[in-house]
Amino acid sequence: PKNLTFWRFGATITKKQRRVYMADKKSSIDIKKLTFLGVLTAIVVVLQLAGSFIRFGTFSISLVLVPIVIGVAICGKGAGAWLGLVFGLMVFASGDATLFLQIHPFGTVVTVLLKGILCGLLAGVAYDLVAKLNRYVAVLVAALVCPLVNTGIFLIGSRLFFYEAISSWASDKGVGVVAYMFLFYPLYARFGGGKRAIKVMFKHLFK
């Protein structure tokens, strides 16, 4: 019947009232998610600009990914992609990509933004798939997928756009490309890049 009623909180309401109630409830949940997403966005910005976390070369791969995983679990894969985009933009704002921008501007922009967006998006996809079985396991899977995608795309981008430069740097140090990427280059980036950074780096290494 058109005026069918149901019992909730001790009162009978019509179908129309029920629809209004459910719409208001959904709107309230959406507002809470947007508010929480705003908080996570601010955390991503602070973590990236603060620079007080583990790095891979000049790119952040550790603590800044934590709010992305949290956003994925609570707000969905769309939020993960957004937070990843913010992460990528903050890489540029913090100056972490300066050296690569000097070598290949287009490749740097593509690599930085793509790795950020996809690490959040694919972590969200992984979470959604596993959450059907167990939400706690899904969080762990998302926490693994996020840094793997982030680092993997960085390595692919390095191979496509910066391999010649990295090979040249590695040759100058008398080491292989892999050893340079995981040892010399992270230390070089840690001390700010440039000729002065090399001197400071070796001073710390061999003092």
Side-chain angles (χ1 to χ4, degrees):
K2 185 176 181 180
N3 61 346
L4 179 66
T5 61
F6 73 98
W7 190 263
R8 187 176 182 84
F9 302 127
T12 55
I13 62 177
T14 64
K15 277 187 173 182
K16 182 178 180 180
Q17 289 173 318
R18 180 185 180 184
R19 286 195 297 269
V20 171
Y21 168 78
M22 295 303 294
D24 289 343
K25 184 177 180 181
K26 185 178 184 300
S27 176
S28 176
I29 293 174
D30 289 342
I31 291 173
K32 289 180 180 178
K33 284 187 175 181
L34 284 174
T35 302
F36 187 66
L37 183 59
V39 172
L40 291 176
T41 300
I43 292 174
V44 168
V45 171
V46 170
L47 285 176
Q48 181 59 34
L49 293 181
S52 56
F53 38 81
I54 301 172
R55 295 170 178 268
F56 183 89
T58 56
F59 293 91
S60 312
I61 63 170
S62 186
L63 296 183
V64 75
L65 298 184
V66 173
I68 296 179
V69 174
I70 295 174
V72 160
I74 297 178
C75 303
K77 55 181 176 288
W82 162 254
L83 293 171
L85 173 61
V86 173
F87 165 41
L89 294 175
M90 287 304 103
V91 167
F92 293 114
S94 65
D96 281 353
T98 301
L99 184 59
F100 284 150
L101 281 171
Q102 294 172 357
I103 300 169
H104 200 309
F106 175 76
T108 302
V109 172
V110 170
T111 300
V112 171
L113 295 184
L114 196 63
K115 77 186 185 69
I117 294 171
L118 287 184
C119 77
L121 180 63
L122 295 182
V125 171
Y127 177 87
D128 289 344
L129 290 175
V130 181
K132 297 175 182 178
L133 302 176
N134 188 298
R135 292 185 63 185
Y136 297 104
V137 175
V139 172
L140 293 176
V141 171
L144 288 174
V145 169
C146 195
L148 286 175
V149 172
N150 181 63
T151 304
I153 293 178
F154 170 68
L155 293 174
I156 293 172
S158 295
R159 181 65 181 85
L160 292 176
F161 303 113
F162 316 110
Y163 187 77
E164 288 185 9
I166 295 172
S167 296
S168 176
W169 298 335
S171 178
D172 291 342
K173 301 294 179 294
V175 297
V177 173
V178 174
Y180 183 83
M181 289 285 288
F182 284 91
L183 176 60
F184 286 92
Y185 190 65
L187 288 171
Y188 174 84
R190 175 186 173 187
F191 295 110
K195 293 181 179 179
R196 182 177 177 278
I198 296 176
K199 294 179 181 179
V200 177
M201 179 183 75
F202 278 94
K203 179 180 177 181
H204 279 74
L205 284 174
F206 303 112
K207 64 181 179 179

